[in-house]
Amino acid sequence: MRKKSLQAVPCGIARAVDLLGDPWTVVIIREALFGITAFDDFVKVLTIPRNTLAARLDALVSAGLMRKSRDTQDGRRSVYELEPAGQELWVVLLALQQWGNKWCFDDEGAPSFMADHGSKRPVGELQVRSSDGDVLTLDQITMIAGPSATPELEARFRTLKKV
């Protein structure tokens, strides 16, 4: 059964999850962020079925998150590289990793973490900041209607105390 698309939903979270909500898609992007480009290398590293990988890569290319081109050393092979929108997902994956490392492992500890390339020290915990630079907590934020919000959405957001 095909999942229902959320692309028409007027919400950035819903649309992003519609693009990235499949676990294979997220780990494909993870590997691409760290240099994997060849189809066979994705298969090898992820142990993903070839047909599943092909479908996810096609979807990422169609969504503009990756581009497909011919390998310059072997023109028979395709390579997949992240477009700017795909590259910007590194922050999303960092947030997922930090959350997962905190909440998804018991006493054994996290198997990996992102670190500063030069110092090899772990990346600091992500924080949400105001436009003035102040650290914000969940109880200090709310949802505000944007320029494309419908009147119904604007009305709904006016009733919110917080997220």
Side-chain angles (χ1 to χ4, degrees):
M1 177 187 298
R2 177 148 167 78
K3 70 175 184 150
K4 180 184 176 196
S5 174
L6 300 177
Q7 287 304 302
V9 175
C11 173
I13 295 170
R15 290 182 184 190
V17 168
D18 191 57
L19 287 174
L20 304 173
D22 175 79
W24 282 122
T25 300
V26 175
V27 295
I28 290 166
I29 291 169
R30 177 196 66 199
E31 294 305 322
L33 284 167
F34 293 107
I36 300 293
T37 60
F39 187 93
D40 288 337
D41 291 340
F42 282 112
V43 170
K44 181 179 172 185
V45 169
L46 297 173
T47 65
I48 182 174
R50 296 178 78 78
N51 62 330
T52 302
L53 177 61
R56 298 314 183 276
L57 287 170
D58 286 348
L60 288 166
V61 169
S62 293
L65 298 177
M66 296 185 92
R67 69 181 167 276
K68 179 181 179 180
S69 60
R70 289 284 165 209
D71 188 327
T72 56
Q73 295 180 354
D74 180 354
R76 297 171 295 165
R77 292 180 11 171
S78 295
V79 292
Y80 296 85
E81 297 172 297
L82 291 167
E83 293 283 12
Q87 292 170 4
E88 287 188 20
L89 287 168
W90 81 270
V91 177
V92 175
L93 270 60
L94 173 60
L96 282 171
Q97 183 183 50
Q98 288 182 350
W99 183 89
N101 285 353
K102 180 177 181 178
W103 296 103
C104 297
F105 294 94
D106 295 325
D107 296 333
E108 74 266 27
S112 65
F113 55 88
M114 290 190 201
D116 178 289
H117 185 72
S119 71
K120 305 295 188 251
R121 290 191 317 240
V123 172
E125 186 175 338
L126 289 179
Q127 296 179 322
V128 176
R129 295 186 178 273
S130 70
S131 57
D132 297 331
D134 298 330
V135 175
L136 297 174
T137 60
L138 180 60
D139 63 337
Q140 295 172 298
I141 65 169
T142 191
M143 293 290 275
I144 303 292
S148 65
T150 63
E152 295 81 15
L153 193 58
E154 289 177 0
R156 178 172 168 234
F157 286 160
R158 281 195 296 274
T159 66
L160 294 178
K161 302 258 188 285
K162 64 174 197 150
V163 174

